[in-house]
Amino acid sequence: MQIFPCPFCGPREEHEFLFAAEAGKVRPEPAAKVSDEEWAAYLYHNDAPKGIAREIWYHQTCGTYFLMTRDTVTRDVKDSRFLSEAST
Amino acid sequence: MSGWRHPDLGQAVDRSRILRFSFDGAAVEGFAGDTLASALLASGTRILGRSFKYHRPRGLMAMGAAEPNAVFDVTLDGRTIPNQRATLTPLLDGMQVRSVNTAGSAGRDPLGALDLLHHFLPAGFYYKTFMAMGWMRWEPMIRRMAGLGRVNANWHPPADVETMNAAPQVLVIGAGPAGLAAAKAAAESGSRVWLIEETCALGGTLRWRGGQIDGADWTVFRDATLAAIEAAGGRVLTDTTLWGAFDHGLFTAWQRRSDAPDIHWRLRPSRTILAAGAIERPMWFSGNDLPGVMGAEAALHHLVLHGAVAGRRIILATAGDGAYPVAGALCAAGAEVTIADARHVTPDAPEGVHLLRGTRIEAATGHGAVRRAVLDHKALDADTVLMAGGWTPSVQLHCQAGGKLDWDETRDALVPRPGTSAVTTVGAANARYGLSEALAEGHAASGGSGPAPRPTVETGWSYAPLRPDCTLKGRVWIDMQNDVTLKDVAVAAREGYTSVEHLKRFTTLGMATDQGRTSNFAGLSAMAALTGRTIPETGTTTFRPPVQPVPLAVIGGRRRGALFNPPRRLMLEGAHKAAGARFREYGGWLRPAVYGAGDEAALALEEAQVARATAGLYDASPLGKIEILGPRAAELLDFTGYVRMSTLTQGRARYGLMLSETGIVYDDGVVLRLADDHFVLSASSSHVAGVIQKLEDARQDRFGSDGVVIIDRTAYWSTLSLTGPAARSVLNRAGLPDHGLPHMSVAETESDCVPLRIARISFTGDRSYEISVPAQQAAAFEARLVHALEAEGGRRIGLEAVMLLRAEKGYILVGKDTDGVTMPHDLGWTAPRERRTDEFVGKRSLFTAEAGRSDRRQLVGLVAEDDRGALPTGAHVVAPAGMRRSQGFVTSSGPAPGAGGSHALAMIEGGLSRMGEVIRIFHLGDIRHARIAPACLFDPVGGRLDG
């Protein structure tokens, strides 16, 4: 059972969280100018890196979306911050 | 009969208390303090079970968690717990014990004849033979023959195991010498230490080998450790199995208690020291699975603790010094003991023990039990063969915690590689078998100050490595529990399954409930020899939780039955109950289904008809009441919704949809605009959390959390929905203001100082008022409303009636009338898709090739062509003629309370352009005909909304 640091609530057990998306994706807009390929890439194509991953997670109990950097191999959490504090 | 009870020995048993139990129907006696294993051993019962595959007779072989054979179904006080390990089960008076894998009893098992067929049943036999003829056909028979214990399907263990959390500073796993030393040193430096021990007492090998530490009996050292732990605020848990190491330092432990329900511990220690000890390796010779072949250390354990002597004529086969005291103790107890040591240079034989140097055991023979041992081609009479083949460290938890192993050539074992897991491994678990090095290592691991505890006499533990000899004749067993022989390993190697992971799956080696404690090393070293590789090159299999079988009732804890997924309760539950409501769960809420006694369908129809004729009142409190506030609130709703809300005027309401980015309808609901910067979104009852998640996503990611906030006030308000042609009269009679509200509008008002929000929103097609009142004041308010309602001839209606009312109007339930591919235009709602020029969630997905297909399933109504009542919900729609390919399905169906007859909603391919077409409805072999019609059957012009 992993422990994730919610920037608002502090460390909580992983079952309180939902994975939202890989960080760094930008929603392609406007719809009329977005190709099928671009849209599919936005919706479905992920890097799923082995090692350091930057991900957006949602803390269900407080409603905070945040950017978490973690190692998918060692499960170490490196960093966690509000979206407003994130560079991307 | 070879095991016997020594008249004096047995420090753990109380001879004044005789306990009676039965084994496979036969009466047996033991003493308080016995385990099932020791009591049966002392009783002379040799065959304790049958093997998994060949139904060979098997006896007691080991101690503790390593025991592969003596696994029983134990019944006490009408409660049967299957697959109990005899070595870990304390004997209680009145236990009924049944052996497993037997068609009759362990002693007489007709399936024992299977063993004669062993030449035809090599490893992989089942996979090859039974797959070819269809595994499903054979599986029930094979399961009956193997399958271990029998589960009583009618037995529901109480949900009484409490899950407890704790965060010790130091967790010490195992209370042998190394664990005690580690716990003592840590506690003396002031740490809160939790010491976990699987058996009933502290001491580990010291309990049966004894010894002096720092000049006094070891029990003095044990008591000092206990005192130090207590002084530092720690705890000692015996009868507790630490069964798993999980991510981020979580450990789980199962504490067994005789006087109270068990406890499931979730421990998050700052430091963990693993002192789980080691398992004695068996030896590999023909017939090494015969009852009477046993581990030497186990024999000493059962002798010293329980006075249960393994036999009278004993051959002890070994290549190590550690077994010599075992031979000495058994000889002193009165057995005739011969040591067969594979080494030429050995310690001296203990007094009275016959020693054969440089002698290897080749076979044990006998029918159903050991009669002879063959040593270097010479047969010797013996009733018991003890094996001391060295040691395998118990490293499971180190590996579960992510640790790696190194091969230690001098100690002939795989040992934890330091620094690869957060667990520090000490003592025999780290291949430090000697008492002084175990104590020193435990002491050092806790950073103990001063000199480490020292034994007065050092024990000799050196041994010569032994390996399975693949050239030996006969059947040499390596995994007793899963019936794997050395030849099976050879078969696996021949067929190319040379990776240990493949070997494991092909032969099932190490996959039994003993998790390969006594067998993995043999399989691994045999495969290494067969393929000409070293042991580290061959590798090990992955260790996964649980270390020991744990009852599911322990893991489930109290989260079962009513506490598994508790439904949410209405504030007005008491009032509904008093009115005769029958409750059911709808979308996570316990809500009235119908009121009164009798046939539910008839009651629901009756309630719905009253609502159509006069008025009905239902509790709509679970409807989401999500408030969106701030200058950018309208903008946020425009982006997250399919329908624009910024164009909604103050005091008005609008129905909308929320899509996911894939364009699929996620939820529907009405948005109220209370003020320029204040909206209330009524999400579906079961989608409130998900809708908030989507709104927060947009707010925090797209709006930078700026200019808008989202508040869930669902629980703050109770909502009562008053519907029917007499709704306005009811309101007037109750003395409530109507404000002349038109359909789809909202007013905030109050009555008798109670704040109210009244919205003209209809889920039934009739004039309706959705009245929200602060939940704390709901009871009195509802009573007043019901009083007026009944005076007007109306009544409370349950959810089943509401479902009938909304269905004949074609009002959908998202998730029932829609599914994971439904887009808004499939519901006939095309305008925003065609006209909106701004961005909104899911927009781009509405214009893919898939979204534009003309044969998408679309929502329509269905009217049965016959008079056989409502069409079955879930039935498939097939074309009027030709192939019976499904073109869609019925999503909702029932009697039509307003229109009469019955009505159904369905999703049908291209349905919106097929109005009037007669199609077939296929359900469980029955075929009916129905006509495609508009989804709305009743009052299609909507005149009743303002009626």
Side-chain angles (χ1 to χ4, degrees):
Chain A
M1 183 72 75
Q2 302 177 78
I3 291 180
F4 294 152
C6 167
F8 186 74
C9 303
R12 307 290 301 172
E13 290 201 344
E14 65 176 286
H15 66 258
E16 293 184 4
F17 296 85
L18 293 177
F19 172 80
E22 285 187 348
K25 282 190 170 184
V26 178
R27 188 178 193 269
E29 293 176 14
K33 294 199 174 146
V34 178
S35 68
D36 282 350
E37 289 70 26
E38 278 178 275
W39 188 243
Y42 173 67
L43 287 184
Y44 303 116
H45 295 181
N46 290 306
D47 292 336
K50 182 176 181 181
I52 300 296
R54 296 174 74 245
E55 297 166 337
I56 311 294
W57 285 75
Y58 177 64
H59 190 209
Q60 297 177 82
T61 50
C62 74
T64 301
Y65 280 87
F66 60 98
L67 172 70
M68 180 157 65
T69 309
R70 66 187 191 103
D71 189 319
T72 57
V73 177
T74 64
R75 304 281 170 94
D76 286 344
V77 177
K78 307 288 184 194
D79 185 55
S80 149
R81 56 183 66 200
F82 289 109
L83 294 187
S84 55
E85 295 169 355
S87 48
T88 49
Chain B
M1 299 287 276
S2 69
W4 49 287
R5 182 82 73 175
H6 192 273
D8 312 311
L9 291 173
Q11 53 183 257
V13 296
D14 175 358
R15 287 172 190 261
S16 67
R17 288 173 56 209
I18 295 172
L19 306 181
R20 292 176 176 83
F21 68 106
S22 70
F23 175 71
D24 279 347
V28 190
E29 282 183 2
F31 297 124
D34 262 327
T35 61
L36 280 177
S38 65
L40 284 165
L41 178 65
S43 77
T45 313
R46 300 212 93 173
I47 302 176
L48 300 186
R50 290 280 168 162
S51 71
F52 190 71
K53 185 171 164 188
Y54 301 110
H55 287 249
R56 281 172 67 87
R58 291 280 163 80
L60 182 67
M61 198 186 108
M63 61 190 202
E67 174 56 37
N69 298 330
V71 173
F72 301 140
D73 292 348
V74 179
T75 305
L76 186 67
D77 299 333
R79 167 178 181 169
T80 302
I81 302 182
N83 302 325
Q84 296 269 82
R85 204 150 298 215
T87 44
L88 288 174
T89 310
L91 175 65
L92 296 174
D93 197 53
M95 274 180 163
Q96 292 161 272
V97 178
R98 212 189 168 292
S99 56
V100 300
N101 296 337
T102 56
S105 67
R108 294 168 187 279
D109 179 5
L111 288 176
L114 269 177
D115 195 32
L116 302 173
L117 303 174
H118 73 262
H119 282 299
F120 307 102
L121 304 171
F125 165 77
Y126 288 88
Y127 302 139
K128 291 171 182 167
T129 311
F130 294 109
M131 288 311 278
M133 297 160 71
W135 173 251
M136 301 301 280
R137 230 173 95 196
W138 298 102
E139 190 188 356
M141 181 194 82
I142 292 169
R143 286 207 189 283
R144 255 198 320 280
M145 286 164 59
L148 285 170
R150 265 152 258 195
V151 174
N152 177 359
N154 297 317
W155 165 247
H156 300 284
D160 59 1
V161 178
E162 205 72 67
T163 301
M164 310 263 273
N165 291 281
Q169 283 172 306
V170 179
L171 173 66
V172 179
I173 303 162
L180 286 173
K184 184 164 182 279
E188 282 171 349
S189 67
S191 293
R192 258 183 308 108
V193 178
W194 282 45
L195 178 60
I196 309 287
E197 168 58 37
E198 179 164 51
T199 67
C200 62
L202 307 184
T205 50
L206 292 167
R207 289 177 69 211
W208 53 91
R209 284 190 173 256
Q212 293 217 319
I213 296 172
D214 289 341
D217 188 67
W218 71 273
T219 52
V220 175
F221 175 70
R222 174 197 64 193
D223 295 343
T225 304
L226 282 174
I229 292 172
E230 199 167 308
R235 284 190 74 162
V236 176
L237 302 179
T238 55
D239 294 301
T240 302
T241 302
L242 204 127
W243 65 267
F246 298 88
D247 288 331
H248 289 189
L250 176 72
F251 292 85
T252 50
W254 166 35
Q255 183 185 5
R256 294 171 293 279
R257 301 195 294 178
S258 54
D259 52 345
D262 294 354
I263 294 178
H264 189 217
W265 289 100
R266 290 162 40 96
L267 304 170
R268 288 206 187 260
S270 311
R271 276 207 68 206
T272 304
I273 295 168
L274 177 64
I279 299 289
E280 191 172 41
R281 279 181 202 153
M283 291 171 71
W284 304 286
F285 48 88
S286 166
N288 61 342
D289 71 327
L290 279 176
V293 178
M294 191 192 278
E297 194 74 13
L300 183 65
H301 169 275
H302 297 305
L303 171 70
V304 176
L305 295 183
H306 306 109
V309 196
R312 296 186 191 275
R313 301 193 65 184
I314 300 173
I315 306 281
L316 197 165
T318 188
D321 298 350
Y324 281 66
V326 179
L330 285 163
C331 183
E336 186 193 316
V337 184
T338 304
I339 295 179
D341 196 323
R343 301 171 299 178
H344 290 279
V345 181
T346 73
D348 292 334
E351 200 183 325
V353 174
H354 188 53
L355 172 62
L356 302 170
R357 292 194 177 90
T359 303
R360 233 171 45 132
I361 183 159
E362 287 161 356
T365 59
H367 280 289
V370 173
R371 294 277 174 268
R372 277 188 191 81
V374 182
L375 307 173
D376 286 341
H377 311 306
K378 266 199 326 238
L380 251 72
D381 283 349
D383 59 19
T384 301
V385 173
L386 300 182
M387 312 175 285
W391 300 93
T392 300
S394 295
V395 296
Q396 292 99 324
L397 287 163
H398 163 78
C399 294
Q400 281 184 26
K404 303 268 180 283
L405 300 174
D406 283 326
W407 175 249
D408 185 330
E409 192 75 46
T410 56
R411 291 165 193 277
D412 194 43
L414 286 160
V415 295
R417 186 182 303 163
T420 54
S421 83
V423 173
T424 310
T425 309
V426 298
N430 196 31
R432 299 298 185 274
Y433 306 120
L435 189 50
S436 65
E437 53 182 357
L439 289 167
E441 201 171 58
H443 183 76
S446 291
S449 55
R454 253 195 305 270
T456 310
V457 182
E458 178 57 293
T459 45
W461 289 91
S462 69
Y463 59 85
L466 294 172
R467 293 289 179 272
D469 178 357
C470 297
T471 64
L472 270 183
K473 284 205 168 75
R475 290 153 88 193
V476 179
W477 303 85
I478 56 176
D479 186 330
M480 305 291 165
Q481 212 178 9
N482 267 357
D483 262 357
V484 181
T485 64
L486 210 45
K487 286 206 174 68
D488 293 325
V489 180
V491 171
R494 208 163 58 222
E495 302 222 354
Y497 297 104
T498 52
S499 137
V500 276
E501 295 286 1
H502 290 161
L503 167 67
K504 171 177 161 180
R505 283 154 185 83
F506 184 71
T507 62
T508 71
L509 172 80
M511 285 168 76
T513 61
D514 66 350
Q515 297 268 290
R517 276 174 174 74
T518 53
S519 62
N520 276 350
F521 179 78
L524 172 63
S525 53
M527 183 54 83
L530 287 163
T531 54
R533 292 175 296 176
T534 62
I535 284 175
E537 279 167 358
T538 310
T540 58
T541 54
T542 310
F543 294 94
R544 297 186 185 87
V547 168
Q548 259 272 86
V550 179
L552 290 175
V554 170
I555 299 170
R558 298 186 68 97
R559 291 168 59 184
R560 287 159 53 200
L563 294 181
F564 176 64
N565 190 12
R568 302 223 269 165
R569 315 283 286 262
L570 297 170
M571 197 66 174
L572 294 171
E573 186 178 303
H576 297 309
K577 209 169 262 175
R582 278 148 65 177
F583 287 88
R584 184 174 310 150
E585 194 211 303
Y586 294 90
W589 287 80
L590 209 55
R591 305 177 70 173
V594 292
Y595 291 85
D599 176 57
E600 186 182 291
L603 287 171
L605 181 58
E606 203 180 300
E607 288 173 7
Q609 283 164 343
V610 172
R612 282 275 185 252
T614 55
L617 181 75
Y618 66 93
D619 193 332
S621 302
L623 267 185
K625 281 154 288 232
I626 304 165
E627 301 199 11
I628 298 108
L629 294 124
R632 299 180 75 190
E635 198 188 330
L636 178 78
L637 285 169
D638 277 357
F639 179 68
T640 53
Y642 180 59
V643 184
R644 292 189 73 179
M645 293 298 168
S646 55
T647 53
L648 188 63
T649 52
Q650 191 175 324
R652 298 302 301 235
R654 185 174 287 166
Y655 177 70
L657 296 178
M658 188 178 246
L659 313 183
S660 64
E661 280 284 31
T662 51
I664 306 306
V665 176
Y666 179 76
D667 192 33
D668 67 342
V670 170
V671 172
L672 315 171
R673 188 167 203 168
L674 301 180
D676 196 44
D677 58 355
H678 190 182
F679 294 81
V680 179
L681 195 163
S682 300
S684 303
S685 310
S686 55
H687 287 157
V688 177
V691 166
I692 290 174
Q693 187 190 340
K694 288 184 180 301
L695 290 170
E696 284 290 353
D697 186 347
R699 186 183 79 90
Q700 294 173 44
D701 187 35
R702 192 178 181 89
F703 288 69
S705 305
D706 195 31
V708 54
V709 291
I710 296 155
I711 306 167
D712 178 17
R713 303 195 77 197
T714 305
Y716 177 80
W717 298 97
S718 278
T719 301
L720 298 163
S721 191
L722 177 63
T723 177
R728 181 157 46 177
S729 324
V730 174
L731 215 57
N732 291 339
R733 184 184 282 269
L736 292 166
D738 162 52
H739 290 293
L741 283 173
H743 181 55
M744 296 309 272
S745 63
V746 59
E748 289 179 288
T749 177
E750 61 160 56
S751 172
D752 296 339
C753 300
V754 176
L756 298 175
R757 187 163 70 218
I758 304 181
R760 280 283 312 277
I761 300 165
S762 180
F763 192 44
T764 61
D766 279 321
R767 170 185 282 270
S768 301
Y769 297 89
E770 237 174 56
I771 310 163
S772 295
V773 51
Q776 299 295 338
Q777 288 151 308
F781 179 80
E782 198 237 15
R784 174 173 152 197
L785 207 54
V786 169
H787 188 73
L789 175 75
E790 285 169 354
E792 292 286 334
R795 58 166 301 169
R796 295 174 206 259
I797 61 173
L799 258 284
E800 291 303 308
V802 175
M803 290 302 118
L804 299 180
L805 293 167
R806 66 94 198 166
E808 69 170 345
K809 283 297 295 178
Y811 294 159
I812 59 159
L813 275 188
V814 172
K816 177 164 170 60
D817 301 301
T818 72
D819 62 16
V821 295
T822 307
M823 291 181 166
H825 51 283
D826 301 331
L827 304 171
W829 200 348
T830 55
R833 174 177 183 253
E834 287 160 7
R835 293 192 202 142
R836 276 186 73 172
T837 54
D838 57 337
E839 274 302 312
F840 60 91
V841 172
K843 182 179 184 182
R844 180 60 184 80
S845 295
L846 302 180
F847 297 96
T848 61
E850 182 64 29
R853 286 170 61 141
S854 59
D855 61 349
R856 291 183 64 81
R857 287 201 294 262
Q858 295 167 330
L859 181 79
V860 292
L862 284 179
V863 177
E865 286 282 275
D866 53 32
D867 52 3
R868 291 167 57 196
L871 296 166
T873 303
H876 280 271
V877 173
V878 292
M883 280 251 298
R884 268 192 217 151
R885 185 181 69 82
S886 174
Q887 299 184 342
F889 41 85
V890 177
T891 61
S892 292
S893 178
S902 67
H903 178 60
L905 295 175
M907 294 295 290
I908 298 180
E909 286 175 9
L912 289 170
S913 50
R914 294 168 65 181
M915 289 297 153
E917 188 180 325
V918 173
I919 42 84
R920 289 185 297 174
I921 302 292
F922 182 83
H923 181 65
L924 302 177
D926 184 29
I927 291 182
R928 294 172 64 181
H929 288 81
R931 190 167 32 81
I932 300 179
C936 177
L937 174 74
F938 181 65
D939 185 30
V941 292
R944 290 176 65 103
L945 288 167
D946 287 311

